[in-house]
Amino acid sequence: MQCHSKVVHSYSIEEDTAADLARASKKDGNTPYYIYRQTAHESQPATRAKTEKKRTSNNKKQTNQRLTSLPDTKARHRERGKKVKTMALEINNVTFGYNKVKNVLENFSLKFDEPGIYGLLGKNGTGKSTLLYLIMGLLRPKFGTVTIDGIQASERRPEILNDMFIVPEEYDLPSISLKKFVSRIKPFYPRFDEELLYHLLEGFEMPSEINLGALSMGQKKKVYMCVALAAKTRYLLM
């Protein structure tokens, strides 16, 4: 097999049900990513004693706020006592190449059946981005199959696409306002959360009234990442 990429299960949200979506790292403004933090607790005994009563009374409210910020995952549904919709993403003996001479992927197989956050690691040119495009149905394999919930990704059915979002390596945004952009893509994502979108933008210190065409590449990446999270799809590829 020519593809040397590795899939690493970095961590699953279900391992930390008290986690809350924190601000993306400001260390590298051009590469936003997920970070999680525990609910804050006061370190001083006296302060902790004073706030214990208030924390207990607000526990239910805080839980709902955390659930609103988190993607639709097993941890979120467990706290609500609801059954999780099974994740089923399967790549079976896929071969793909951009020309007839060399294949980027050859007899590549991979299966995801548990919700979580997975990392795809590999050298340049080993097929990482290609694999994401195959999962989205933007590319079609020469041989083999890619299925999402039992449906061929290449069919690009609306009921599958409205539960998937990809943040590609390279992209451009139209020269329109963010509000207009959201109004155009929102109908394609039934769970799109505008309140969450503006909350995430605030975390990146980005204003809500902006023209996408006037942004730098780093700012565009921040905005597009916020849009991707606000779509609340079960599958988020980046």
Side-chain angles (χ1 to χ4, degrees):
M1 184 174 73
Q2 294 183 359
C3 178
H4 302 290
S5 299
K6 293 182 179 180
V7 176
V8 180
H9 186 189
S10 56
Y11 60 90
S12 175
I13 297 175
E14 65 176 305
E15 296 169 0
D16 184 10
T17 56
D20 186 19
L21 189 62
R23 292 185 177 182
S25 173
K26 297 180 183 178
K27 194 170 184 180
D28 182 357
N30 290 337
T31 313
Y33 54 87
Y34 281 122
I35 56 174
Y36 291 86
R37 60 176 172 82
Q38 295 288 338
T39 304
H41 293 278
E42 293 78 3
S43 57
Q44 298 297 325
T47 305
R48 187 166 58 249
K50 291 179 181 180
T51 58
E52 185 65 33
K53 184 176 181 181
K54 183 177 179 180
R55 182 187 298 112
T56 302
S57 63
N58 291 334
N59 183 62
K60 184 175 180 181
K61 181 179 179 181
Q62 292 172 346
T63 299
N64 289 335
Q65 290 175 341
R66 290 197 301 272
L67 291 174
T68 300
S69 298
L70 289 172
D72 290 330
T73 61
K74 185 176 288 186
R76 177 175 178 176
H77 289 282
R78 185 193 296 114
E79 286 204 48
R80 288 181 171 176
K82 294 183 179 180
K83 186 177 180 180
V84 182
K85 186 176 180 180
T86 303
M87 173 182 178
L89 194 165
E90 187 170 358
I91 302 163
N92 188 27
N93 295 324
V94 164
T95 295
F96 178 85
Y98 291 97
N99 54 56
K100 297 180 180 181
V101 179
K102 183 180 179 181
N103 291 325
V104 180
L105 300 174
E106 195 167 279
N107 296 324
F108 184 82
S109 295
L110 187 63
K111 184 177 181 180
F112 299 99
D113 53 14
E114 287 291 332
I117 299 176
Y118 296 85
L120 186 62
L121 307 179
K123 296 180 180 179
N124 291 341
T126 55
K128 300 185 299 298
S129 297
T130 298
L131 183 60
L132 298 185
Y133 296 146
L134 286 165
I135 292 172
M136 288 296 299
L138 297 171
L139 296 176
R140 297 189 179 189
K142 291 181 179 179
F143 306 103
T145 58
V146 179
T147 58
I148 310 293
D149 298 338
I151 298 174
Q152 293 274 1
S154 58
E155 294 182 13
R156 294 190 49 86
R157 295 190 188 179
E159 64 268 26
I160 296 297
L161 293 178
N162 65 20
D163 228 354
M164 303 181 72
F165 201 106
I166 185 171
V167 180
E169 187 175 356
E170 296 181 2
Y171 57 87
D172 199 7
L173 296 176
S175 297
I176 59 176
S177 67
L178 175 61
K179 184 176 181 180
K180 196 167 187 178
F181 180 72
V182 170
S183 69
R184 290 183 178 181
I185 69 168
K186 188 176 179 180
F188 297 99
Y189 301 100
R191 292 188 297 276
F192 196 95
D193 189 337
E194 286 193 58
E195 184 177 348
L196 175 59
L197 169 62
Y198 296 124
H199 173 71
L200 293 170
L201 285 171
E202 184 180 351
F204 278 118
E205 299 182 351
M206 293 288 295
S208 57
E209 297 293 331
I210 51 178
N211 186 298
L212 301 179
L215 301 178
S216 68
M217 180 53 67
Q219 291 174 321
K220 287 180 180 179
K221 287 185 177 181
K222 291 178 181 180
V223 171
Y224 201 58
M225 182 64 70
C226 293
V227 171
L229 292 170
K232 288 188 173 181
T233 55
R234 284 197 300 137
Y235 300 95
L236 175 57
L237 312 179
M238 58 182 122

